[in-house]
Amino acid sequence: PDILVYPPERLTYINSGNFSSLSWSKPKNNLEGSCRIYLDGKLIAETKDTSYQFNKHAAGEFHASVSMLENGEESKHAGQIRIRISGASISISDPEILRAVQEVIGVMNTGDLPIISEADLHSISHIEIKNPISNTVFLNNLLNLQALKLNCAGLKVEDLSFISSLNKLQVLNLENIDLADLPDLRPNSKLVSLGIKNGSGGNVDILATVPNLLNLEISNCAEIQQFSFQKLLKLEELTIKDCDLSGDRFVSDFPFGV
């Protein structure tokens, strides 16, 4: 006779914001058996446990089910529960970035590192990081960012290169930056407002390559030596205050007079 493999029992779905999970009970005659987890009929995992957390899967809504295995035979699927997955979780190790994220959306603290779901991450449209940070790795994930204010103390051009990938960025304010470390902003076609404060270093001609810049403010910057303002064809408002305009080339190229 065919072996009758009983399916799991008491399938339960838990959604706690950043986490989605399933739990179940094994049938009493198969407590050591493996369990298979399915999303929309597709096998995604096999485990000996009686729970599964969807923290490594893409965000979306799915039908989830679980089956039991015994001696190579598989039971019918239990469940077909409709679940919502927020997406993969990402840990935030830098305290200043964590503080900034908490101000925007809040973060669930579980275990050693606070984490944020992929879905919540993609909902961030603006962020302000007031104090120096150790690295910018986490900021590479802010694909829908429209406004960024960043303390750049200690950061080099390679640390700031992530800004070039923020193709929805409209407003950018950089503080405490060495002007030699300004990133390439040519890919930021939606960037219309740019502020630079407490900078040092000299040549800022790279700013002339921002394609659609409307507003530019440079303040408290030392040793500005060169900037081809005439290349900013769409510029509507320019503010320069408390800056050392030491370069003759800078003064001669300034279209509105100094």
Side-chain angles (χ1 to χ4, degrees), residues 9-249:
E9 303 168 349
R10 294 187 290 277
L11 196 63
T12 304
Y13 165 53
I14 299 174
N15 185 352
S16 57
N18 288 339
F19 295 95
S20 297
S21 65
L22 282 177
S23 62
W24 57 88
S25 298
K26 293 181 180 180
K28 293 181 179 180
N29 66 341
N30 191 13
L31 295 178
E32 300 301 321
S34 296
C35 307
R36 286 181 173 177
I37 299 95
Y38 294 82
L39 287 182
D40 288 345
K42 181 180 179 180
L43 177 64
I44 62 166
E46 184 172 320
T47 179
K48 291 272 190 179
D49 296 331
T50 55
S51 65
Y52 184 80
Q53 191 174 93
F54 299 95
N55 59 358
K56 296 181 180 180
H57 298 278
E61 292 191 355
F62 307 89
H63 284 96
S65 60
V66 182
S67 67
M68 290 294 306
L69 289 178
E70 183 178 1
N71 298 323
E73 298 291 330
E74 186 173 7
S75 73
K76 293 182 178 180
H77 291 203
Q80 292 302 329
I81 297 177
R82 189 161 186 82
I83 68 170
R84 182 182 182 276
I85 299 176
S86 297
S89 59
I90 298 174
S91 63
I92 305 174
S93 58
D94 189 288
E96 294 302 326
I97 296 179
L98 171 60
R99 186 176 294 111
V101 171
Q102 285 177 321
E103 289 179 357
V104 178
I105 61 172
V107 175
M108 179 178 293
N109 191 341
T110 59
D112 296 331
L113 290 178
I115 67 164
I116 181 174
S117 74
E118 188 177 76
D120 285 339
L121 185 69
H122 292 166
S123 74
I124 297 177
S125 62
H126 66 280
I127 194 168
E128 178 179 355
I129 302 174
K130 302 174 183 178
N131 298 312
I133 58 178
S134 57
N135 64 73
T136 60
V137 173
F138 175 83
L139 301 178
N140 282 286
N141 299 293
L142 302 181
L143 301 180
N144 292 318
L145 202 62
Q146 298 178 27
L148 170 64
K149 186 173 183 180
L150 177 63
N151 188 325
C152 302
L155 300 178
K156 298 300 182 182
V157 63
E158 56 268 22
D159 301 311
L160 298 172
S161 62
F162 77 94
I163 296 176
S164 302
S165 66
L166 302 177
N167 55 25
K168 297 183 180 180
L169 193 64
Q170 301 176 28
V171 179
L172 175 63
N173 289 283
L174 303 175
E175 297 185 1
N176 303 316
I177 185 171
D178 188 327
L179 299 177
D181 291 318
L182 284 168
D184 182 5
L185 299 176
R186 286 175 293 180
N188 303 96
S189 60
K190 294 186 178 181
L191 184 62
V192 296
S193 180
L194 174 62
I196 298 176
K197 184 178 181 181
N198 300 332
S200 61
N203 191 332
V204 291
D205 245 2
I206 191 172
L207 298 182
T209 64
V210 185
N212 296 308
L213 198 62
L214 301 178
N215 302 295
L216 174 62
E217 179 174 338
I218 304 176
S219 61
N220 297 301
C221 291
E223 301 176 4
I224 297 180
Q225 298 174 0
Q226 184 172 327
F227 189 3
S228 301
F229 287 96
Q230 67 273 21
K231 295 181 181 179
L232 292 172
L233 302 179
K234 297 184 179 182
L235 193 65
E236 297 178 354
E237 183 176 348
L238 174 64
T239 302
I240 298 179
K241 58 184 179 182
D242 300 323
C243 293
D244 176 12
L245 310 181
S246 60
D248 294 339
R249 171 70 182 278

Side-chain angles (χ1 to χ4, degrees), residues 1-5 73:
D2 294 336
I3 299 174
L4 180 60
V5 183
E73 298 291 330

